Amino acid sequence: MTDEQIAMRDMVRNFVREEIIPHAAEWDRQHIVPKATLEKLGGFGFYGVGIPSEWGGAGADFFSYLYLTEELSYGDAGICNTINATNSFANNVFAFGTEAQKERYLRPVAEGRQIACMLLTEPQAGSDAANLRARAELRGDRYVINGSKLFITSGATAKISLVIAVSDPAAGRRGISAFIVPTDTPGYTVVREELKLGHRTNDTCQISLENVEVPAENLLGELGDGLKIALSGLETKRIVVAAQAVGVAQRAFDEALRYSQERETFGKKISQHQAVAFTLAEMATDLECARQLYYHAGRLKDAGVRCVREASMAKLFASQMSERVCSAALKMHGGYGFLNDFPLEKLYRDAMVFQLYDGTNEIQKLLISRELLSNR
């Protein structure tokens, strides 16, 4: 690690332990994060980690972002999702936006003044991202967007969004475009905030787009670039999900290790029972394997090397590992692990979704197998 990476990791680690962990359980129960906490995270440069400083970002490398992700998820995976969704918007506008779009829409996000979201998923279009029904019709100098989106991270709290919609139904996958849409635009409506098993500290919403009008200059990239833009960061996102999964599992492991050295049965600490000690050894090994997988994929990404297989392997293994480790940690606490007085039940709930978003684990297996077979 470089001095800069160590400094960022330590800054996040201290913030998480001082200002998130003491409140995470209560925020989870109330389904909130205080505005002041989000503003502090924005002030640290966490909304535009990889965006150059000239546009208001932190100008950090991808590996620093992975460290940040693991440390934030150690404290609360839902808050980390808010950060990740905002960074996804920022990265897309930086990569595909005009100078005017960057000045107007990227800078406020990268400087930590606005939370952002991305509207891609639809009821019939999850893993099948190209099967969109939302429409964007050019009328004069404006696009009019109609459709419905769901599972939108920060759909209610975000001030700016990136909407993926069909601009040319006859063109198939090449007829999908991306549009920058302020969330206070008339017709952008939060239909409902979903009640979830975990990640309760960010809002996940169903959004209705009814005659939402945006200027033609809000088209991001070229007409037909929408699917390319939406899918361009999937390798990155899958490595990030792996880092999230490791962060949650690391917290569960630390809680289990601590408890095993405090709890006594039959006259000795439970860590001195071979069954418990061996379980801890397996948990630690699982964690290190997952961390090294995402480190490897992250290094390849930073080097500009294609890493579809490695990113999918990291996401697949880490998400499964997180469920295993959190389950084992909960069981090690016995009945206490089942109570919300202890953090294990929350960590277990938060771990469950890593196998679902940014490509289900079945999709990861499909991608890995394709990569293996294509190289024969």
Side-chain angles (χ1 to χ4, degrees), residues 9 29 41 66 132 137 188 200 235 237 273 279 292 307 311 313 318 321-322 358:
R9 183 202 63 187
R29 284 190 285 269
L41 289 167
L66 293 177
L132 299 179
E137 180 183 351
Y188 181 107
R200 294 174 175 174
E235 282 180 15
K237 290 178 182 177
H273 294 289
T279 299
Q292 293 302 325
C307 57
M313 284 180 170
M321 173 281 303
S322 194
D358 287 320

Side-chain angles (χ1 to χ4, degrees), residues 97-279:
T98 64
E99 296 295 296
Q101 287 172 338
K102 291 176 185 178
E103 187 62 45
R104 183 171 182 181
Y105 300 113
L106 172 61
R107 186 177 296 281
V109 171
E111 290 180 347
R113 294 184 279 121
Q114 289 185 357
I115 291 172
C117 63
M118 182 169 175
L119 277 62
L120 172 62
T121 304
E122 298 181 4
Q124 78 295 334
S127 297
D128 184 8
N131 185 26
L132 299 179
R133 294 177 183 167
R135 295 290 186 262
E137 180 183 351
L138 182 62
R139 299 178 187 173
D141 61 350
R142 307 182 73 79
Y143 281 96
V144 180
I145 306 173
N146 285 279
S148 179
K149 300 288 185 176
L150 81 165
F151 300 145
I152 306 305
T153 300
S154 303
T157 55
K159 298 300 183 184
I160 190 72
S161 71
L162 185 61
V163 177
I164 310 299
V166 177
S167 55
D168 183 358
R173 297 169 65 91
R174 296 182 180 180
I176 299 172
S177 300
F179 304 88
I180 300 172
V181 180
T183 60
D184 60 359
T185 304
Y188 181 107
T189 304
V190 178
V191 177
R192 59 175 286 162
E193 294 187 26
E194 305 293 352
L195 299 176
K196 299 171 294 182
L197 179 69
H199 293 230
R200 294 174 175 174
T201 47
N202 72 41
D203 57 280
T204 302
C205 303
Q206 181 179 343
I207 306 294
S208 172
L209 303 167
E210 186 173 355
N211 293 322
V212 173
E213 295 188 18
V214 294
E217 58 262 30
N218 279 33
L219 172 71
L220 184 64
E222 302 294 330
L223 273 175
D225 280 353
L227 198 59
K228 178 178 75 173
I229 292 170
L231 302 182
S232 63
L234 275 182
E235 282 180 15
T236 300
K237 290 178 182 177
R238 286 162 183 163
I239 303 169
V240 168
V241 173
Q244 276 189 288
V246 169
V248 171
Q250 184 67 58
R251 172 78 186 286
F253 174 79
D254 288 351
E255 295 290 342
L257 182 62
R258 184 182 306 111
Y259 185 77
S260 74
Q261 295 169 314
E262 297 172 352
R263 173 72 167 167
E264 292 187 5
T265 61
F266 304 104
K268 58 183 178 181
K269 308 293 186 184
I270 64 171
S271 60
Q272 296 175 331
H273 294 289
Q274 189 179 72
V276 173
F278 279 14
T279 299

Side-chain angles (χ1 to χ4, degrees), residues 69-71 73-75 242-252 287 291 347:
T69 296
E70 182 179 333
E71 294 296 335
S73 295
Y74 186 95
Q244 276 189 288
V246 169
V248 171
Q250 184 67 58
R251 172 78 186 286
L287 260 168
R291 182 175 285 113
L347 294 168

Side-chain angles (χ1 to χ4, degrees), residues 239 292-302 307 310-311 314:
I239 303 169
Q292 293 302 325
L293 275 170
Y294 96 67
Y295 276 12
H296 176 55
R299 289 190 181 101
L300 292 175
K301 192 68 180 177
D302 255 346
C307 57
E310 291 80 4

Side-chain angles (χ1 to χ4, degrees), residues 41-53:
L41 289 167
F44 288 147
F46 292 171
Y47 292 177
V49 178
I51 305 302
S53 57

Side-chain angles (χ1 to χ4, degrees), residues 26-68:
E26 185 60 28
W27 292 346
D28 177 79
R29 284 190 285 269
Q30 296 184 17
H31 298 213
I32 63 165
V33 177
K35 183 179 179 181
T37 301
L38 293 175
E39 288 176 347
K40 286 181 181 178
L41 289 167
F44 288 147
F46 292 171
Y47 292 177
V49 178
I51 305 302
S53 57
E54 65 186 272
W55 293 109
D61 62 356
F62 180 52
F63 229 81
S64 296
Y65 183 44
L66 293 177
Y67 290 134
L68 179 151

